[in-house]
């Protein structure tokens, strides 16, 4: 649930988060007075910080300390305060250009192995973000139609057989007529029509992806073949869902050493659980970062941000995971993400992930 804050409360929360991100030290009113021009007294800042603590956005790690952001505080910061009126837009834009320039220095991807391209991109992201970088290997290329055949296996029951460019065969059986159909043509007529339709579709559709076929307007078939339109639409759609169902792939991991030197990872047990997840439980992590993004839109990419307890995987509930998908055309084929402490430079991390996703999408398209 979004917390409604006054302008003053927003500015003081923003300043508190920025100071804590930079120092990793609990924040007091004196530090905010010295670093930010908030235009209010130290007593007013203390009062506002008290209100923010009661709202669950800040907390004190111990009684005599200053305050630090909670997961909810970071969420409010991301959702409400990363806006042109608060963030340094010039700095974010400069970082985006730096990421783009660094990625462009990679050798032309057409002349380089796919794995080498992703490894290079992962290393650049880890260096620029200071986080663990995660890039999934892409899903297999969207299957393309090599051959299609419609076969009547018994009166009124038709099998659609599709052979893809990888010589994989897929089939789907459906009843051509509903129980309420008043007239059912002679099976020999159906056989003849099925062959004509098969020939027509092969000549016009060979080489197209199954995803394209699923989106075709089958109502454009000649009038005498309209009875096959709904059958083809449903059959192709199901075959496409089947062939495009994502399967876990290898995750490129870079930057572990750098991020584990952060004070949040000083406990050996916590480090071990994260390392175990990265090395032994990659499929769980893959499923998490390959979910369709839904949280924040930056440029052409949509970026998902999971903060602390929002992460369903226990080893990273003290971390922030920022991810986005990269695409081949309109089809998601893989994901890129960064994993770090919740005390993260969110503007920079979001910009890095979005720029990398856009670069990889351009390369794969």
């Amino acid at each position: 649930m979004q917390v409604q804050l006054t302008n003053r409360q927003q500015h003081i929360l923003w300043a508190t988060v920025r100071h804590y991100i930079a120092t990793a030290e609990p924040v007091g009113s004196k530090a905010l007075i010295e670093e930010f021009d908030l235009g209010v007294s130290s007593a007013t800042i203390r009062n506002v910080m008290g209100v923010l603590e009661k709202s669950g956005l800040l907390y004190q790690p111990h009684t005599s300390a200053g305050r630090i952001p909670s997961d909810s505080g970071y969420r409010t910061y991301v959702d409400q305060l990363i806006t042109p009126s608060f963030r340094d837009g010039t700095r974010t834009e400069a970082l985006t250009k730096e990421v783009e320039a660094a990625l462009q220095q990679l050798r032309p991807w057409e002349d380089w192995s796919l794995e080498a391209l992703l490894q290079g991109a992962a290393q650049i992201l880890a260096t620029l973000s200071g986080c663990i970088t995660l890039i999934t290997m892409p899903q297999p290329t969207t299957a393309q139609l090599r051959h299609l055949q419609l076969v009547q296996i018994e009166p009124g029951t038709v099998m659609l057989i599709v052979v893809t460019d990888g010589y994989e065969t897929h089939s789907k059986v459906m009843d051509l007529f509903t129980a309420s159909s008043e007239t059912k043509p002679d099976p020999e007529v159906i056989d003849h029509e099925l062959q004509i339709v098969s020939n027509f579709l092969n000549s016009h559709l060979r080489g197209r992806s199954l995803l394209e076929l699923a989106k075709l307007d089958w109502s454009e078939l000649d009038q005498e073949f309209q009875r096959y339109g709904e059958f083809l639409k449903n059959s192709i759609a199901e075959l496409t869902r089947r062939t495009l169902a994502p399967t876990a792939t290898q995750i490129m991991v870079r930057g572990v050493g750098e991020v584990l030197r952060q004070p949040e990872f000083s406990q050996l047990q916590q480090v071990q659980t994260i390392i175990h997840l990265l090395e032994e439980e990659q499929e769980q992590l893959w499923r998490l970062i390959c979910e369709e993004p839904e949280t924040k839109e930056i440029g052409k990419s949509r970026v998902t941000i999971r903060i602390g307890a929002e992460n369903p995987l226990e080893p990273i509930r003290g971390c922030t995971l920022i991810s986005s998908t990269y695409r081949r055309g309109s089809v998601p084929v893989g994901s890129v993400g960064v994993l770090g402490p919740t005390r993260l430079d969110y503007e920079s991390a979001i910009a890095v992930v979005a720029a990398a996703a856009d670069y990889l999408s351009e390369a794969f398209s």
Side-chain angles (χ1 to χ4, degrees):
M1 186 177 70
Q2 199 172 73
V3 179
Q4 297 300 317
L5 302 176
T6 66
N7 288 339
R8 177 176 292 173
Q9 290 167 347
Q10 287 182 339
H11 277 88
I12 290 176
L13 176 61
W14 176 85
T16 303
V17 173
R18 293 301 305 166
H19 185 83
Y20 184 66
I21 287 172
T23 66
E25 296 290 338
V27 184
S29 58
K30 182 180 178 181
L32 297 186
I33 286 285
E34 292 174 350
E35 185 174 351
F36 300 97
D37 181 18
L38 297 174
V40 294
S41 67
S42 181
T44 298
I45 292 176
R46 284 195 299 272
N47 288 337
V48 172
M49 293 180 83
V51 172
L52 294 173
E53 183 176 4
K54 289 179 181 177
S55 299
L57 304 180
L58 301 178
Y59 70 95
Q60 286 183 294
H62 45 85
T63 307
S64 60
R67 294 173 174 88
I68 65 178
S70 64
D71 289 353
S72 297
Y74 285 123
R75 171 52 65 192
T76 300
Y77 176 80
V78 167
D79 289 347
Q80 299 183 39
L81 307 184
I82 299 184
T83 63
S85 61
F86 282 92
R87 72 182 179 193
D88 183 354
T90 302
R91 182 174 65 87
T92 303
E93 183 178 345
L95 180 62
T96 299
K97 290 181 177 179
E98 183 180 0
V99 175
E100 292 172 348
L103 291 169
Q104 292 296 337
Q105 294 302 311
L106 295 174
R107 290 168 56 188
W109 86 283
E110 295 91 342
D111 303 323
W112 214 15
S113 76
L114 175 63
E115 186 170 343
L117 170 74
L118 297 181
Q119 285 178 345
Q123 188 58 58
I124 288 170
L125 263 62
T127 300
L128 294 178
S129 70
C131 296
I132 298 171
T133 298
L134 310 165
I135 301 182
T136 67
M137 290 291 285
Q139 294 292 305
T141 303
T142 303
Q144 295 179 330
L145 177 68
R146 183 179 182 86
H147 183 74
L148 176 153
Q149 190 71 40
L150 291 163
V151 179
Q152 184 174 210
I153 55 177
E154 60 181 57
T157 302
V158 176
M159 175 183 288
L160 169 66
I161 303 170
V162 170
V163 182
T164 67
D165 53 345
Y167 292 96
E168 295 180 336
T169 301
H170 306 273
S171 62
K172 171 67 179 172
V173 176
M174 290 186 71
D175 289 329
L176 189 55
F177 306 105
T178 63
S180 61
S181 297
E182 295 182 3
T183 59
K184 296 183 173 64
D186 185 278
E188 291 187 8
V189 173
I190 295 295
D191 284 336
H192 179 66
E193 290 183 348
L194 289 176
Q195 188 58 55
I196 293 174
V197 174
S198 296
N199 293 341
F200 173 81
L201 293 176
N202 278 304
S203 64
H204 285 79
L205 304 180
R206 185 178 289 114
R208 293 206 195 186
S209 72
L210 294 189
L211 191 67
E212 287 181 277
L213 301 190
K215 295 179 179 179
L216 287 178
D217 183 1
W218 296 100
S219 66
E220 295 179 359
L221 284 172
D222 288 343
Q223 188 63 40
E224 64 266 35
F225 301 128
Q226 280 297 315
R227 65 170 66 99
Y228 303 111
E230 194 65 23
F231 166 78
L232 288 167
K233 177 182 177 180
N234 293 336
S235 299
I236 293 289
E238 181 166 331
L239 292 179
T240 301
R241 283 194 297 271
R242 225 185 279 167
T243 57
L244 294 183
T247 55
T249 59
Q250 178 188 355
I251 302 177
M252 302 287 179
V253 180
R254 293 292 184 275
V256 175
E258 182 65 30
V259 78
L260 293 185
R261 285 194 283 272
Q262 297 289 339
E264 288 86 349
F265 302 106
S266 59
Q267 295 185 2
L268 180 61
Q269 180 62 35
Q270 183 186 19
V271 172
Q272 288 175 333
T273 57
I274 292 176
I275 296 296
H276 179 77
L277 176 66
L278 295 173
E279 292 183 349
E280 306 297 333
E281 303 289 343
Q282 277 202 1
E283 184 168 347
Q284 290 188 52
L285 192 57
W286 183 93
R287 293 183 186 282
L288 184 61
I289 65 176
C290 285
E291 288 181 6
E292 274 293 291
E294 60 184 6
T295 304
K296 196 163 191 70
E297 189 165 351
I298 303 292
K300 292 178 286 184
S301 293
R302 289 180 59 79
V303 179
T304 293
I305 304 165
R306 295 182 178 87
I307 301 172
E310 296 171 0
N311 287 297
L313 302 180
E314 183 65 36
I316 58 173
R317 285 192 171 170
C319 303
T320 287
L321 176 64
I322 300 176
S323 61
S324 182
T325 55
Y326 62 90
R327 300 168 178 268
R328 184 190 299 275
S330 62
V331 181
V333 293
S335 292
V336 53
V338 296
L339 178 69
T342 53
R343 183 187 59 83
L344 192 64
D345 186 344
Y346 285 90
E347 293 97 327
S348 297
I350 292 168
V352 165
V353 169
D358 287 342
Y359 170 81
L360 293 176
S361 293
E362 183 179 349
F364 277 87
S365 294

